[in-house]
Amino acid sequence: MKDVKVVLYPTMGASHMIPMVQLAKLFINHRISVEIAVINPPIMPPATTKFISKVSSTNPEISFNLLPPLSLPSQPARTPLSNMFHTLRANNTELQSYLQSLSKTASIAALVIDFFCVDALDVAAELGIPTYIFYASGANALAVYFPLPDLVPTWDRRKKDVGKTPIVIPGIPLLHVSDTPSLILEFDTEEHKLFVNALRRRTEAKGILINTFESLEHRAVKTIKDGLCLSTRPIPPIYCVGPLVTAAFNIWCSFNMHLQKGEHRLGELSKNVFSFSMN
């Protein structure tokens, strides 16, 4: 009889690996075996290598599988975000080979991917593996992001004050476009298109795991569960699995607490959260 495993798939960078490891510990506490598939870019960040080594020595029950190194063709200069999306997409072949190999000895119950790894949805669909997205921030931020792909085309980008356009979501304090990450207003850039596409593809997952607990963000959780933040397509089931405390917890907590209090000057906070996730 094959072992049952859950595969976790974070993107590059220690700040993405850290919360995914916390999630791995949660699965293990429920006696669910996990493996973490690690992308092997041309240049592995030293912080990531050090973190993996430390976790492996202190938590031997967490298995890391370093995928074969990527050999990427030379490309025109890209922003770090665009480069990350292209690297993740290029890694699909290696991810598929790894999952196919693992399935010979284990039954893969689910693939849990980082928000930025949305191209892995194509691999999982081809292999028939249920895929869940792990969102390491809270429910308030998630509820704001859900409608953005549909809202962006409705904004009058010719207006100099387009940043003042309100974002009205039931159960969420009033926000404005300027409160979102700055790339949302960079309409013609590649990173804007890639990011908005990633937001749109969230609804393709079988479910979304959120780093929160329902009593902390009950209004936002209800907004998402009731589909009030997105009317054009169904929202997958959401599961509150937090709080998974990481180095980013204070930033996460500050961002979400400001949302719950209804404070509107969130631009700097939201940018800080987004920037932290990219490190």
Side-chain angles (χ1 to χ4, degrees):
M1 183 176 178
K2 292 182 178 179
D3 292 335
V4 177
K5 286 185 179 289
V6 170
V7 176
L8 308 184
Y9 185 50
T11 189
M12 295 90 74
S15 61
H16 291 266
M17 191 77 69
I18 292 170
M20 198 67 89
V21 166
Q22 297 299 318
L23 181 63
K25 293 177 181 178
L26 184 64
F27 277 118
I28 290 170
N29 287 341
H30 286 80
R31 298 183 180 179
I32 299 172
S33 179
V34 299
E35 282 199 17
I36 300 179
V38 181
I39 298 167
N40 195 353
I43 301 177
M44 177 69 79
T48 301
T49 303
K50 182 178 179 180
F51 178 71
I52 291 174
S53 177
K54 180 178 179 180
V55 173
S56 297
S57 62
T58 57
N59 299 269
E61 68 276 13
I62 298 178
S63 175
F64 290 91
N65 190 294
L66 191 63
L67 300 178
L70 287 174
S71 178
L72 301 175
S74 59
Q75 296 287 347
R78 291 192 176 115
T79 64
L81 178 62
S82 295
N83 185 62
M84 182 185 68
F85 275 116
H86 284 283
T87 300
L88 291 169
R89 184 174 300 165
N91 203 61
N92 269 5
T93 301
E94 303 300 344
L95 176 65
Q96 182 166 345
S97 296
Y98 157 69
L99 293 173
Q100 288 174 323
S101 177
L102 180 62
S103 65
K104 295 176 182 178
T105 58
S107 177
I108 304 175
L111 174 67
V112 181
I113 64 175
D114 183 278
F115 154 66
F116 290 104
C117 299
V118 291
D119 284 313
L121 288 163
D122 300 324
V123 173
E126 184 173 338
L127 299 179
I129 300 173
T131 306
Y132 297 79
I133 291 175
F134 174 50
Y135 189 66
S137 295
N140 276 281
L142 182 63
V144 172
Y145 278 138
F146 265 123
L148 286 187
D150 293 332
L151 292 176
V152 168
T154 70
W155 298 336
D156 187 352
R157 62 180 67 185
R158 295 169 301 178
K159 294 173 59 177
K160 292 183 179 179
D161 61 349
V162 64
K164 296 181 180 179
T165 304
I167 300 176
V168 180
I169 302 172
I172 304 296
L174 178 65
L175 299 174
H176 295 86
V177 173
S178 59
D179 296 320
T180 65
S182 59
L183 64 84
I184 294 297
L185 286 171
E186 298 167 0
F187 300 108
D188 297 321
T189 64
E190 182 185 34
E191 61 180 9
H192 166 89
K193 296 171 184 176
L194 290 169
F195 185 68
V196 171
N197 176 65
L199 293 178
R200 182 179 292 107
R201 294 203 66 183
R202 285 181 178 184
T203 57
E204 298 177 32
K206 187 174 179 63
I208 299 178
L209 313 181
I210 313 176
N211 187 13
T212 192
F213 53 99
E214 194 159 347
S215 59
L216 176 66
E217 300 183 272
H218 62 279
R219 290 184 301 173
V221 170
K222 179 175 173 55
T223 290
I224 298 172
K225 285 185 173 180
D226 292 348
L228 300 179
C229 54
L230 185 63
S231 60
T232 56
R233 52 195 178 279
I235 293 176
I238 63 170
Y239 305 93
C240 298
V241 298
L244 302 177
V245 181
T246 70
F249 184 72
N250 287 337
I251 298 177
W252 169 90
C253 188
S254 179
F255 179 58
N256 283 278
M257 290 304 98
H258 277 70
L259 276 173
Q260 291 194 66
K261 291 177 182 177
E263 297 182 17
H264 305 298
R265 301 186 65 180
L266 297 176
E268 202 60 39
L269 270 174
S270 62
K271 291 169 188 173
N272 285 344
V273 171
F274 186 73
S275 296
F276 186 93
S277 71
M278 293 300 299
N279 293 331

